[in-house]
Amino acid sequence: MTQVIAVAVITVLAVISPGADFAMTVRNSYLYGRTAGLLAAAGISLGVLVHVAYTMLGVGLLVSRSPAAFTVMKLVGALYLVYIGVRTFTARTRLDIDLSGPGGLSRGQALRTGFLTNALNPKTMLFVVSTYTQVVTAGTPLAQRIGYGLFMSLAHLVWFSLAALCFSHETLRARMLRRQAVLNRVIGSVLVGLGVALALTPAA
């Protein structure tokens, strides 16, 4: 249960922390409307599954064949959580979003922009890898590992769909960014605390 809670907390905090995926969702929603924003959100959630697939395979091999290498990877992952926590805490409150673009966007293009944003995003890759190395052990059932990945994908879909709904509505576009300063500090503090706690947790 502790592992499940850890995955849930880390995932939610990482998802709501603004990045390239958030900027892409805002851009599509603001420029092209609600449908384009929702399709971008769907693409983002599918992009997460790309990282989940190869991470599950790699982490599984390390757990079974090289426990020492897995322990090193676990510590690196914990340090990365601390790093992104510090970066989030000290981040600028303004998120720069490029609102330039052509006059229209097809459904396929909207889905593809979201997918490529996350499938090629090193931040998402490091988030997935670092999270898995903290909660997966030799005794973790395959179904549970798959469940972690599906939850990560679903969390992205829900959050960015909400963002698309907000930023496609004229009166709601600025509200999420207006409170970003406080949100960044809360997210950053919790991520640092989780990274330190997980680094001190035995890998076995």
Side-chain angles (χ1 to χ4, degrees):
M1 182 57 68
T2 301
Q3 292 177 339
V4 174
I5 294 174
V7 171
V9 173
I10 293 171
T11 298
V12 170
L13 292 177
V15 169
I16 65 178
S17 177
D21 41 15
F22 187 76
M24 180 57 67
T25 303
V26 172
R27 179 182 183 277
N28 279 12
S29 303
Y30 189 96
L31 283 178
Y32 309 118
R34 181 165 297 175
T35 299
L38 291 173
L39 286 170
I44 288 169
S45 68
L46 293 175
V48 173
L49 294 178
V50 173
H51 300 291
V52 168
Y54 67 71
T55 299
M56 281 184 58
L57 177 61
V59 170
L61 288 174
L62 283 178
V63 169
S64 62
R65 299 185 181 182
S66 182
F70 175 73
T71 298
V72 172
M73 192 172 182
K74 174 183 173 68
L75 291 174
V76 171
L79 288 175
Y80 176 70
L81 289 178
V82 173
Y83 169 74
I84 61 173
V86 172
R87 288 290 301 271
T88 301
F89 188 92
T90 59
R92 296 182 304 162
T93 59
R94 180 178 179 181
L95 181 68
D96 294 324
I97 300 170
D98 181 11
L99 293 179
S100 61
L105 196 68
S106 70
R107 290 173 180 263
Q109 288 174 325
L111 183 68
R112 185 166 62 250
T113 57
F115 176 78
L116 292 177
T117 295
N118 249 11
L120 302 178
N121 189 350
K123 178 183 176 182
T124 304
M125 180 268 290
L126 290 171
F127 152 66
V128 173
V129 172
S130 62
T131 301
Y132 265 85
T133 55
Q134 303 315 302
V135 299
V136 172
T137 67
T140 304
L142 178 60
Q144 187 171 339
R145 300 182 193 187
I146 294 174
Y148 290 153
L150 293 177
F151 176 79
M152 291 176 184
S153 178
L154 179 61
H156 279 78
L157 177 62
V158 171
W159 173 252
F160 291 111
S161 293
L162 290 174
L165 293 176
C166 287
F167 284 98
S168 61
H169 195 288
E170 290 187 5
T171 61
L172 298 176
R173 285 172 180 168
R175 289 187 180 181
M176 293 174 69
L177 293 178
R178 191 178 303 158
R179 298 176 177 84
Q180 199 59 56
V182 174
L183 186 60
N184 279 345
R185 284 162 175 75
V186 173
I187 293 172
S189 299
V190 175
L191 284 174
V192 169
L194 281 171
V196 172
L198 291 170
L200 299 176
T201 302

